[in-house]
Amino acid sequence: MYEGVNASEGIGIGTVAVAVEPDLTFTPHVVEDAAAEKARFKAALEVFCEKTEAQAEHMKTSVGEAEAEIMSGHVTLAQDPELTGAIEASIDGGTCAEQALVETSTMFENMFLSMDDEVFRLRAADIADIRTGILAELLGREVVDLSVLPAGTIIVVHDLTPSMTATIDKANVAGIVTETGGRTSHSAIIARALEIPAVLSVSNACGALHNGMTAIVDGSKGVVIGEPDEETLADYTERAEQFAAEKRALEAFRGKPSVTADGIAKVLACNIGSPDDVNGALDHDAEAIGLFRSEFLFMDAKELPSEEEQFEAYRKVAVALKGAPVIIRTLDVGGDKEIPYMNLQKEENPFMGYRAIRYCLDNPDEYKVQLRALLRASAFGDIKIMVPLVTCVEEIRAVKKLVEECKAELREEGRTFNDNIQVGIMMETAAAANIPDLLAKESAFFSIGTNDLTGYTMASDRGNDRVAYLYSWYYPAVLRAIKNIIEAGVRAGIMVGMCGEAAADPLLTPLLIAWGMEEFSTSAPSILRTRKAISQWTKAEADELAAKVLELSTAEEVKALLEANAR
Ligand code: PEP
Ligand code: MG
């Protein structure tokens, strides 16, 4: 059994095909005719760009627009004058095209790799992919073609590059295993979009798994099993069937209202990170956007996005939702979310430090750019502003004051916006969980961020393996915090939702129903499953279970009771 990163859920069973990368070795030589060599390079670049554009076109229909853009991005990057200029200068100095390409692109790749920001490190992978493509053209060799695989193939490859993925015929691929890449790598994003089970970063996968071998890819757990024995194979075959059957059964919930068994209406919303994610959200039947993590717009840029750029992004989402609510969280920088060009000082304890709303209120001119963009976009749909990491009433009041200032400016400029735009709070700190009644008086809605609320309540950093046992929302301390927040919000008559991962945990669904939570905001693939979980409980049944849970003292007891009552 091999362990890796669980990058795309589901279980794939099939026959291994190790995708061997083409032999791209060459003998470097000195060139006499630099002009001819440059022409040879340009011709190879042109063919590479044409093929890549064609792959992007194919991907638009086979995978999705956003993923196709990754391929189109390769063309732009390959034609970047800084890169091509440096290669041509090297050829002018007598280096052959292959060597000039390898040396120059490696220099760019290393530059991107040395950067702290994940976005730039992803660009290093793109550069490597481009190098392979152009080098293959120069040498007249074919790169791996995954379009002609037999049905039931488990692709095993060192790195699944976007160009390889472009050719994948989804119907024939049962699973993907790679030796590199994390959950946010392009291969992971594409595997999830294709809904192919994938386990990434399995060390020495290409050596350990051979062509023709039977293998199991458990993309939910992040486990790969080579040559399973009969018992294991039968067990996983059953699990794969269950997974597929569950997915098929969930289709029955598409287009249906989100209601409890006794007809109490709930809202099933989706969490997104960019306007491109909206299609996925709508495809999975989202009724609203419960969390747009706006910091991704900032992470994907090289400098602070302008008011115009932000406005366009927010407007796009508002328009796509056709009047349904869109909660946009203002910049949640710091903690685990670094934005290099903002040059925030390294801190001893970043999760307790200068981050999120603390940074924004300390830099009101920057913050107002975002608030103005949000207000302007509110003319195009039901945008709501959400403030992250609130710990006290002073913060929400300060934000509302800035919102009023921005409104006055926009009015003066004759711009339209929703004067009644709602400003709500992301309830994710222990402090907020202790004063929900006070915060509810100042807030149009609450959305519970259990990812942070769990960490802050239990004083447990989820990145730290040694205290990971404490990072669980089944602890009574976390459950009581959630209950306090929901009940205070309900008493005050404001909407209460949850956008942390716990919203998609079916074991918690009855508790959230019992306490009166209205909106469940999950990742796109969890929407139908959560709608189903909601439909399985009446309020009375949920109340009964919640009362029993509140009498328990330990996380273990809570989880055991919830599991025993799971539906
Ligand atoms: C949360 O904290 O629960 C949340 C949804 O926000 P993030 O994961 O972006 O911190
Ligand atoms: Mg958070």
Side-chain angles (χ1 to χ4, degrees):
M1 185 164 96
Y2 310 97
E3 286 184 18
V5 174
N6 53 339
S8 177
E9 66 170 11
I11 290 165
I13 303 174
T15 310
V16 168
V18 182
V20 186
E21 278 146 60
D23 176 9
L24 296 178
T25 51
F26 61 90
T27 314
H29 55 277
V30 176
V31 291
E32 305 287 328
D33 186 349
E37 192 69 353
K38 281 195 285 188
R40 197 165 75 81
F41 166 69
K42 277 190 182 146
L45 174 65
E46 204 168 303
V47 176
F48 166 78
C49 290
E50 276 167 18
K51 284 190 180 172
T52 310
E53 278 296 4
Q55 286 175 345
E57 265 314 301
H58 173 252
M59 243 176 145
K60 264 188 203 160
T61 45
S62 65
V63 193
E65 291 267 351
E67 292 73 16
E69 272 173 27
I70 296 175
M71 294 305 296
S72 312
H74 277 188
V75 176
T76 317
L77 197 56
Q79 290 170 333
D80 188 316
E82 257 190 74
L83 179 67
T84 55
I87 293 171
E88 288 181 22
S90 170
I91 297 174
D92 278 333
T95 312
C96 70
E98 288 86 351
Q99 183 75 353
L101 168 71
V102 169
E103 279 176 3
T104 313
S105 61
T106 307
M107 191 179 76
F108 277 80
E109 186 187 0
N110 289 338
M111 188 180 77
F112 283 127
L113 276 177
S114 68
M115 297 182 179
D116 283 342
D117 186 342
E118 167 116 27
V119 174
F120 287 115
R121 288 204 299 274
L122 288 177
R123 206 140 294 153
D126 293 340
I127 290 268
D129 204 9
I130 290 166
R131 175 173 57 239
T132 306
I134 305 176
L135 196 53
E137 291 308 330
L138 281 169
L139 297 168
R141 306 205 175 110
E142 278 300 316
V143 282
V144 182
D145 181 358
L146 300 177
S147 63
V148 286
L149 298 167
T153 298
I154 302 278
I155 298 174
V156 180
V157 63
H158 173 66
D159 184 14
L160 184 74
T161 60
S163 59
M164 285 183 199
T165 343
T167 58
I168 281 185
D169 184 353
K170 175 181 164 176
N172 292 338
V173 180
I176 294 171
V177 182
T178 71
E179 292 182 336
T180 61
R183 271 193 70 80
T184 52
S185 65
H186 284 155
S187 10
I189 294 169
I190 294 169
R192 282 198 291 275
L194 288 166
E195 299 188 36
I196 298 175
V199 180
L200 308 189
S201 278
V202 175
S203 54
N204 191 31
C206 295
L209 301 162
H210 326 283
N211 280 339
M213 190 184 209
T214 300
I216 298 168
V217 177
D218 183 344
S220 307
K221 293 222 168 77
V223 166
V224 180
I225 301 168
E227 292 297 16
D229 58 35
E230 263 180 45
E231 201 182 319
T232 313
L233 192 58
D235 176 33
Y236 271 94
T237 305
E238 199 185 317
R239 284 202 231 174
E241 276 160 15
Q242 264 171 15
F243 186 85
E246 193 203 334
K247 226 168 140 187
R248 276 195 304 276
L250 287 178
E251 284 302 311
F253 289 86
R254 185 179 289 282
K256 295 278 157 53
S258 305
V259 284
T260 60
D262 51 346
I264 302 171
K266 303 290 177 193
V267 176
L268 259 170
C270 188
N271 296 345
I272 60 169
S274 85
D276 292 337
D277 295 343
V278 167
N279 291 342
L282 295 175
D283 280 354
H284 284 86
D285 219 19
E287 297 160 35
I289 298 299
L291 169 65
F292 177 172
R293 292 178 159 99
S294 72
E295 57 277 4
F296 283 96
L297 287 181
F298 290 68
M299 288 177 179
D300 280 349
K302 292 196 177 75
E303 56 187 13
L304 288 174
S306 65
E307 179 179 318
E308 222 43 48
E309 283 164 337
Q310 292 192 53
F311 163 69
E312 265 314 313
Y314 307 146
R315 190 187 64 89
K316 206 167 157 187
V317 180
V319 169
L321 266 285
K322 299 190 177 123
V326 176
I327 297 181
I328 303 183
R329 178 176 70 189
T330 61
L331 180 62
D332 188 18
V333 65
D336 54 347
K337 295 164 191 151
E338 253 191 86
I339 303 180
Y341 59 80
M342 290 177 74
N343 294 321
L344 292 183
Q345 269 176 23
K346 287 257 177 265
E347 294 180 311
E348 284 278 317
N349 202 343
F351 278 89
M352 303 267 173
Y354 185 63
R355 58 171 297 206
I357 194 55
R358 303 164 182 193
Y359 172 86
C360 290
L361 288 176
D362 197 35
N363 293 275
D365 291 341
E366 263 175 38
Y367 195 34
K368 279 172 75 176
V369 172
Q370 181 168 39
L371 295 176
R372 282 175 54 99
L374 286 166
L375 278 163
R376 286 175 53 198
S378 72
F380 296 86
D382 186 11
I383 287 187
K384 300 169 196 275
I385 297 173
M386 179 153 74
V387 188
L389 210 82
V390 169
T391 52
C392 56
V393 166
E394 289 84 333
E395 286 166 338
I396 184 72
R397 283 190 185 154
V399 173
K400 288 202 300 190
K401 190 161 164 269
L402 288 177
V403 170
E404 288 310 314
E405 275 176 39
C406 292
K407 282 186 188 173
E409 287 171 16
L410 294 173
R411 233 175 257 125
E412 189 98 326
E413 294 163 25
R415 296 195 191 264
T416 46
F417 58 89
N418 172 11
D419 207 5
N420 297 316
I421 192 165
Q422 293 192 357
V423 180
I425 295 178
M426 176 108 183
M427 298 293 279
E428 56 181 343
T429 64
N434 272 315
I435 52 163
D437 52 332
L438 303 180
L439 293 172
K441 287 187 205 155
E442 313 278 339
S443 185
F445 63 89
F446 284 162
S447 182
I448 308 175
T450 47
N451 305 345
D452 278 317
L453 183 63
T454 305
Y456 286 126
T457 303
M458 297 303 296
S460 158
D461 174 354
R462 69 171 150 165
N464 183 341
D465 279 352
R466 298 167 81 184
V467 294
Y469 67 99
L470 288 170
Y471 184 90
S472 161
W473 45 73
Y474 301 122
Y475 279 100
V478 183
L479 291 179
R480 287 182 194 198
I482 294 173
K483 177 175 180 284
N484 280 349
I485 296 168
I486 299 175
E487 290 184 344
V490 170
R491 265 196 304 276
I494 63 172
M495 194 285 282
V496 183
M498 179 179 282
C499 57
E501 293 297 313
D505 178 356
L507 291 184
L508 278 198
T509 308
L511 305 185
L512 303 176
I513 291 173
W515 299 330
M517 198 173 86
E518 190 176 328
E519 181 178 277
F520 294 67
S521 193
T522 73
S523 65
S526 297
I527 292 175
L528 294 180
R529 197 179 301 146
T530 307
R531 183 174 290 154
K532 177 181 173 196
I534 292 169
S535 77
Q536 291 172 316
W537 294 88
T538 64
K539 175 81 166 58
E541 290 163 347
D543 284 346
E544 197 185 324
L545 182 59
K548 286 187 192 150
V549 165
L550 287 175
E551 281 168 20
L552 302 175
S553 307
T554 68
E556 204 181 332
E557 288 163 5
V558 169
K559 190 159 185 241
L561 182 67
L562 293 176
E563 276 172 348
N565 285 277
R567 303 200 160 166

